[in-house]
Amino acid sequence: MDHANVGVIILTYNDWQDTLACLERVHAQSGFPRRIVVCDNGSGNEVADRILAGWRELAARTGHPEPVEVFGDDNTQAPLTLLRREENDGTAGGMNAGLRLALYDPKCAAFWILHNDTLPEPYALAALLRHTRDEDNIGLVGSTLLFHDRDLLECAAGGWWNRRTGTAHLLDEGVERYALTDRRDIVARLDYVNGASCLVMRPLIESIGLYDERFFRFYEDVEYGLRARKAGFRLNWAPGALVRHKTPNIGALTPVLAVTDEPDLPPVADYLYVRNRFFLLRRERARALPFALVALPLPLSWRMFRGQKDRLRLVIRAAWDGACARMGKAGDLPL
């Protein structure tokens, strides 16, 4: 397999500047992919128009065909495609829409998923492809995600999932770029691959399907990794696939880690992060739910201590909704 067998899926929402910066890096890869699909997840027309205009300039400058735009579930075989969605279907829904479009092309044997706020280094895709051959039955290959403004790791490939509390923990988080853990040790502990940049193999999708859209945002990549492993697929890491990421401070969301004065993201993100954690725990290890719920008052006390009393009811409700499998889109939640 080489670059000519890869479809790239870039997910974006209301952010044309980061999207064009990401596209610049994808166009600069050491080998150009077969297809690139930018899935605009319900942005306003002005944002989508700017992405299309900027991408057309980039394609002309780099000697590639002009990008075309399609709407909804339309299909096209164009190598460069802007898929415009009418509404925000969440991270999982947006990635699935882009994947469905790229899957129509039978010559796409792998799919590089990127969030629009990532900046891949020129040999990132080549490194990902190289590590598809390490073992048989590899389903996902993760990148080395670096913080966008520091030579410190967000994670090596992805992370591990705590089967008692339902929390996800990134591997090599905060480690210096040149002090990475041995690849085999990371792979042995890997439960999921971070969805900000990962290579998904077609046989995996054909076997287990796409991402679970009930998660909307947060933990959809954790669930997908656990599902892949259950189906007998291996998860791998490409240390040389360096990708910088403008990641949010997730530690400000989860009640276990929230000790900041003000969470970085709005209440709906706080709700989704906690709800999805408990929903996944219910699905994968339901007998651990009582322990996780009983342990909730301890992290909630940190909320009180740090002056976040306005989020207490939200967090309690999110945990209970997840434990009861009350799932819905963010826009449908009365927050």
Side-chain angles (χ1 to χ4, degrees):
M1 185 187 303
D2 60 21
H3 301 80
N5 302 115
V6 176
V8 179
I9 316 296
I10 301 175
L11 181 64
T12 182
Y13 174 68
N14 274 344
D15 184 358
W16 62 270
Q17 292 172 310
D18 282 341
T19 303
L20 291 177
C22 180
L23 279 166
E24 286 265 8
R25 294 299 187 93
V26 173
H27 275 251
Q29 290 299 299
S30 58
F32 201 74
R34 178 175 178 81
R35 301 194 67 183
I36 303 174
V37 176
V38 175
C39 181
D40 181 80
N41 215 6
S43 304
N45 287 334
E46 181 181 352
V47 174
D49 289 344
R50 286 195 174 198
I51 292 172
L52 184 61
W55 194 7
R56 283 174 171 168
E57 291 178 7
L58 171 62
R61 192 169 70 246
T62 55
H64 291 97
E66 182 176 278
V68 302
E69 57 180 333
V70 296
F71 297 86
D73 296 321
D74 293 343
N75 183 27
T76 178
Q77 293 297 317
L80 307 181
T81 307
L82 173 64
L83 174 60
R84 298 173 72 149
R85 307 281 290 173
E86 290 186 0
E87 60 183 59
N88 186 351
D89 291 320
T91 304
M95 289 190 299
N96 285 350
L99 283 167
R100 288 188 190 100
L101 181 59
L103 280 163
Y104 278 115
D105 186 343
K107 293 186 178 180
C108 282
F111 307 91
W112 187 16
I113 291 176
L114 287 167
H115 289 186
N116 76 305
D117 58 351
T118 56
L119 295 172
E121 295 294 319
Y123 292 94
L125 180 54
L128 288 168
L129 289 168
R130 186 165 60 251
H131 286 280
T132 61
R133 301 188 293 269
D134 288 339
E135 299 176 87
D136 294 332
N137 216 31
I138 289 177
L140 291 156
V141 185
S143 305
T144 300
L145 288 171
L146 298 162
F147 292 107
H148 77 284
D149 56 352
R150 291 167 288 169
D151 269 351
L152 298 177
L153 262 70
E154 177 189 346
C155 70
W160 64 278
W161 184 66
N162 189 315
R163 286 157 176 77
R164 295 186 65 194
T165 64
T167 52
H169 303 270
L170 296 172
L171 294 171
D172 267 10
E173 182 179 18
V175 169
E176 292 185 2
R177 175 177 176 177
Y178 300 104
L180 300 176
T181 301
D182 182 78
R183 188 186 67 83
R184 288 170 295 183
D185 293 338
I186 291 291
V187 171
R189 300 174 61 198
L190 199 59
D191 283 328
Y192 69 95
V193 170
N194 193 301
S197 172
C198 66
L199 194 69
V200 186
M201 309 303 292
R202 180 183 279 268
L204 174 65
I205 298 174
E206 292 175 343
S207 175
I208 70 172
L210 299 171
Y211 288 86
D212 189 334
E213 296 185 17
R214 287 174 294 178
F215 285 85
F216 192 80
R217 181 183 181 190
F218 303 123
Y219 277 88
E220 74 286 332
D221 51 358
V222 182
E223 187 277 336
Y224 201 66
L226 295 174
R227 191 165 16 126
R229 292 189 63 189
K230 277 186 178 181
F233 288 88
R234 298 177 183 274
L235 312 185
N236 205 4
W237 171 39
L242 299 176
V243 178
R244 294 196 176 273
H245 185 208
K246 294 183 179 180
T247 179
N249 182 6
I250 297 301
L253 297 176
T254 168
V256 174
L257 301 175
V259 293
T260 57
D261 289 327
E262 292 293 336
D264 284 355
L265 296 182
V268 65
D270 214 354
Y271 171 88
L272 290 172
Y273 192 82
V274 177
R275 184 200 68 179
N276 292 353
R277 166 194 157 195
F278 278 87
F279 176 62
L280 182 59
L281 189 62
R282 170 195 167 103
R283 283 185 49 185
E284 297 295 325
R285 197 174 173 85
R287 65 178 180 270
L289 269 176
F291 171 82
L293 289 168
V294 168
L296 198 57
L298 179 61
L300 287 178
S301 66
W302 278 108
R303 296 274 184 161
M304 294 284 291
F305 180 73
R306 303 299 292 183
Q308 298 175 10
K309 291 187 290 185
D310 60 320
R311 296 283 176 102
L312 296 184
R313 184 178 297 178
L314 176 74
V315 170
I316 293 170
R317 178 188 160 194
W320 186 248
D321 284 352
C324 296
R326 295 172 183 160
M327 306 294 282
K329 292 185 178 181
D332 299 330
L333 303 173
L335 301 178

